[in-house]
Amino acid sequence: MEAGSSLHAVETVILLLLVLVAGFAAMARRIKVPYPIVLVLAGLIISFLPRMPRVPLDPNVVFVVFLPPLLYASAWWMSWREFRRNAILISLMAFGLVGFTVWGVAEFSEHFITALDWKAGFLLGAVVATTDAIAATSIAKSIGLPRRIVDILEGESLLNDATGLLALEIGLGIIQGGETPTLGGGLARLLYLVIGGIGIGLLIGVIVGWLEKFIDYGPVELVVSLVVPYAAYIAGEHAKASGVLAVVACGIYLSRKSTQFFSPEVRLQVHGAWDALTFMLNGLVFVLIGLQLPYVLNGIHGKFGRGTLIFYGAVFSVVLIVLRMVWVFPAIKIASYVERRWMGHQEEELRPREVFVVGWTGMRGVIALAAAFSVPEMLGNGRAETRNLIVFLAFCVILVTLVLQGLTLPALIRALGLAGVPGMDPEEKEARRIVLRAALHHLEEERKRQGQDAEHLYDDLIHRYRHKLAAVGGGEEGDLEAADTETMTRLRSILEDALQAERRTLISLRDRGRISDDTLRTMERELDLAETRYQGTPIA
């Protein structure tokens, strides 16, 4: 009976959370505010309502249940070309900035927060050093940040979890066991985390890619795609490497290969299902952040004055933002110099206003809060106050970076003249021209080869493609005219051949680095829809 009641309570809480996610996300869309911000604020307000069920945030649930699929989705949609182009800067942000933040927070805590010493400050810095891939991509994309800035933020937040978790591991060792890590030992551990995690992720990706040759059924593909991130994460953690990097490496690899092993119908089904899944998981994460306020306040209640806590939270948040700004400007200069001098890149250096936006967009989210909650109740000093203050300060930083910075970003990018220009991206426009010309060339060659029997069919299709080329993708294919069974079958075959010519050219452009993965996915979706449409056209 008790088990049944407990299950009923869990069902009620999950249902309530999903209703909150749907309702407040719809509200966010209407008021044109990024939905993560609205959901966090909604969770904060609702947490104080009487008889509201308490939903504690279990770090294990975050790291094992929520994190793998959300990281996998972010990695899947990341453009590999842009990641490679910005690899130096992303590395400086993902590794160097984490170390700089940990050191800066430790020094600040030692001198300005009387309740924390340098060791506790090191641990606090490790907790809040990593930006959140979930928060960064959700907000950055929804407010129209320039694509290159989004790529940098996305790459940083996907990689810096490895260094952040290593810093957390070191911090706990220092404060609990009195261990003093060496520079060589720390670098060796970091290398193992990175190389081991990436290696495991790629190995799983290769195995899954081989298995995909034998699967072409939407529901099964969806199950496989859901199992993969959990398998990569668990394998990485079991090997004492980075489960996060294993998921990221696996996601990037399989995303690149999916152009070959997914059929159009399966790709549409899987992408649609994952869109819904990631939205639901994202929504639950942000609502849960807001709902944690009572737990945070209960842990700190009575230990410090309200004014002292507000002062600590505000000043600490400002310090964290300043540390990021101080690192970002020279890091971008160094990355640009290295890329031009040693790698031959001619990428234009980010302008100061763009650098400022990169510095301003250091979102913290559920990863930081879960890391804070994972800190043991009793640390090396034998007091719980240290841990509770770390949790409180982490929560303050999340609110400031997620809500305050998130709300000011749209106005900031407009004021700085960085808002995206409506219309088709020049790269996409050029890709459409190349792809349509390839399809036209294929049709004209086939018309010559087939002779007069099918000449009228080819003439009609060539006319349509020329119209689409003139409009640079703005035309419609038009409905297939009624015809006899044999003609319809032949026309469908010709259409599918033309679409395959487009698809081959598009993938070739991506593989040669002429277009990004984002451009490929935009156009690939149109080809998938067109191909499934013609395959589903009834034969008279």
Side-chain angles (χ1 to χ4, degrees):
M1 191 69 176
E2 288 182 5
S5 300
S6 176
L7 181 60
H8 180 71
V10 171
E11 290 175 343
T12 302
V13 169
I14 293 174
L15 179 61
L16 175 62
L17 290 175
L18 290 175
V19 169
L20 290 175
V21 168
F24 285 104
M27 178 193 297
R29 186 178 177 84
R30 290 186 65 86
I31 63 177
K32 293 181 171 56
V33 174
Y35 77 88
I37 297 173
V38 174
L39 291 175
V40 169
L41 293 175
L44 281 173
I45 296 169
I46 291 170
S47 67
F48 288 104
L49 294 179
R51 302 179 65 84
M52 177 66 191
R54 297 301 182 204
V55 189
L57 187 68
D58 187 338
N60 293 321
V61 171
V62 172
F63 288 125
V64 178
V65 177
F66 285 97
L67 191 57
L70 290 174
L71 282 174
Y72 186 72
S74 295
W76 186 280
W77 294 109
M78 189 172 66
S79 175
W80 174 242
R81 187 191 69 174
E82 271 54 47
F83 182 84
R84 282 185 303 152
R85 285 181 177 178
N86 298 299
I88 301 297
L89 177 56
I90 288 172
S91 298
L92 288 172
M93 300 287 285
F95 301 112
L97 180 54
V98 169
F100 180 70
T101 302
V102 172
W103 171 82
V105 170
E107 291 293 332
F108 170 77
S109 302
E110 170 77 8
H111 295 95
F112 295 100
I113 302 180
T114 56
L116 299 178
D117 57 13
W118 195 91
K119 293 179 180 179
F122 187 101
L123 185 60
L124 173 61
V127 165
V128 299
T130 57
T131 53
D132 196 307
I134 304 165
T137 54
S138 299
I139 293 180
K141 290 180 179 178
S142 65
I143 62 177
L145 276 176
R147 184 67 238 181
R148 189 179 177 195
I149 295 178
V150 175
D151 292 330
I152 292 168
L153 295 172
E154 200 169 40
E156 175 199 0
S157 58
L158 283 173
L159 293 186
N160 63 13
D161 286 311
T163 42
L165 293 175
L166 173 60
L168 185 64
E169 180 182 310
I170 293 172
L172 288 171
I174 291 174
I175 201 170
Q176 286 188 303
E179 300 173 7
T180 305
T182 63
L183 179 61
L187 288 175
R189 176 68 178 137
L190 179 60
L191 282 174
Y192 178 74
L193 282 173
V194 173
I195 296 173
I198 293 174
I200 290 169
L202 291 177
L203 177 61
I204 291 176
V206 169
I207 293 171
V208 173
W210 177 78
L211 290 174
E212 288 286 357
K213 297 177 182 178
F214 309 101
I215 309 172
D216 190 33
Y217 180 52
V220 175
E221 294 278 17
L222 182 57
V223 172
V224 170
S225 70
L226 191 58
V227 168
V228 166
Y230 290 109
Y233 185 83
I234 292 170
E237 291 296 306
H238 184 71
K240 304 298 182 184
S242 173
V244 168
L245 291 182
V247 174
V248 171
C250 188
I252 293 174
Y253 177 84
L254 288 176
S255 175
R256 299 275 294 182
K257 292 297 182 181
S258 67
T259 55
Q260 301 168 19
F261 59 68
F262 274 172
S263 66
E265 301 94 331
V266 166
R267 185 163 29 246
L268 291 171
Q269 290 178 45
V270 171
H271 286 177
W274 267 91
D275 282 344
L277 177 65
T278 52
F279 169 76
M280 182 181 68
L281 292 177
N282 268 324
L284 288 173
V285 161
F286 290 115
V287 169
L288 283 172
I289 290 175
L291 289 173
Q292 300 315 299
L293 183 57
Y295 297 100
V296 174
L297 293 179
N298 287 341
I300 207 74
H301 179 68
K303 308 298 187 302
F304 303 92
R306 184 176 300 175
T308 302
L309 288 175
I310 293 173
F311 177 74
Y312 279 167
V315 173
F316 179 65
S317 299
V318 171
V319 166
L320 209 62
I321 293 170
V322 170
L323 286 172
R324 183 177 175 86
M325 288 289 188
V326 169
W327 180 269
V328 163
F329 279 89
I332 287 177
K333 288 288 184 183
I334 293 170
S336 298
Y337 175 79
V338 172
E339 287 169 357
R340 286 196 303 269
R341 183 71 182 270
W342 303 106
M343 303 178 68
H345 290 182
Q346 299 301 317
E347 193 80 27
E348 185 180 345
E349 186 177 319
L350 290 176
R351 295 167 291 177
R353 54 184 173 174
E354 294 173 319
V355 179
F356 182 84
V357 172
V358 172
W360 188 251
T361 320
M363 308 292 181
R364 269 70 177 180
V366 71
I367 306 302
L369 194 57
F373 278 127
S374 70
V375 174
E377 287 283 349
M378 302 301 291
L379 294 173
N381 56 16
R383 296 180 301 174
E385 289 87 346
T386 301
R387 186 258 190 190
N388 293 333
L389 184 57
I390 288 174
V391 172
F392 174 79
L393 292 174
F395 190 82
C396 290
V397 165
I398 291 167
L399 285 185
V400 170
T401 58
L402 196 59
V403 177
L404 177 62
Q405 290 184 295
L407 284 174
T408 57
L409 264 175
L412 180 64
I413 63 173
R414 285 195 298 269
L416 295 175
L418 297 176
V421 179
M424 191 182 299
D425 182 82
E427 180 182 276
E428 182 182 337
K429 189 176 291 187
E430 180 61 21
R432 289 181 184 277
R433 291 194 191 103
I434 294 171
V435 166
L436 289 171
R437 286 183 187 129
L440 272 170
H441 177 74
H442 170 80
L443 289 171
E444 287 165 352
E445 290 296 313
E446 284 296 304
R447 179 176 61 180
K448 293 176 186 176
R449 194 171 65 84
Q450 294 291 339
Q452 292 185 344
D453 268 356
E455 188 172 1
H456 65 289
L457 295 177
Y458 281 100
D459 285 342
D460 179 51
L461 288 176
I462 288 171
H463 173 74
R464 296 183 192 183
Y465 268 93
R466 283 176 177 161
H467 177 72
K468 289 175 69 177
L469 182 59
V472 196
E476 296 292 334
E477 291 88 340
D479 294 328
L480 294 177
E481 299 174 0
D484 59 75
T485 300
E486 184 180 350
T487 302
M488 198 62 152
T489 302
R490 195 168 186 181
L491 178 58
R492 182 183 300 165
S493 175
I494 296 170
L495 279 168
E496 289 178 356
D497 285 345
L499 290 172
Q500 288 304 315
E502 290 189 61
R503 194 182 296 278
R504 287 192 300 271
T505 305
L506 186 61
I507 294 172
S508 174
L509 289 173
R510 192 277 308 272
D511 291 343
R512 288 185 283 130
R514 294 280 301 277
I515 62 173
S516 68
D517 290 275
D518 295 318
T519 300
L520 176 133
R521 280 188 283 264
T522 297
M523 298 175 64
E524 184 181 56
R525 176 174 170 78
E526 294 174 11
L527 292 176
D528 290 342
L529 289 169
E531 190 168 333
T532 53
R533 172 190 175 192
Y534 292 134
Q535 287 174 349
T537 302
I539 297 176

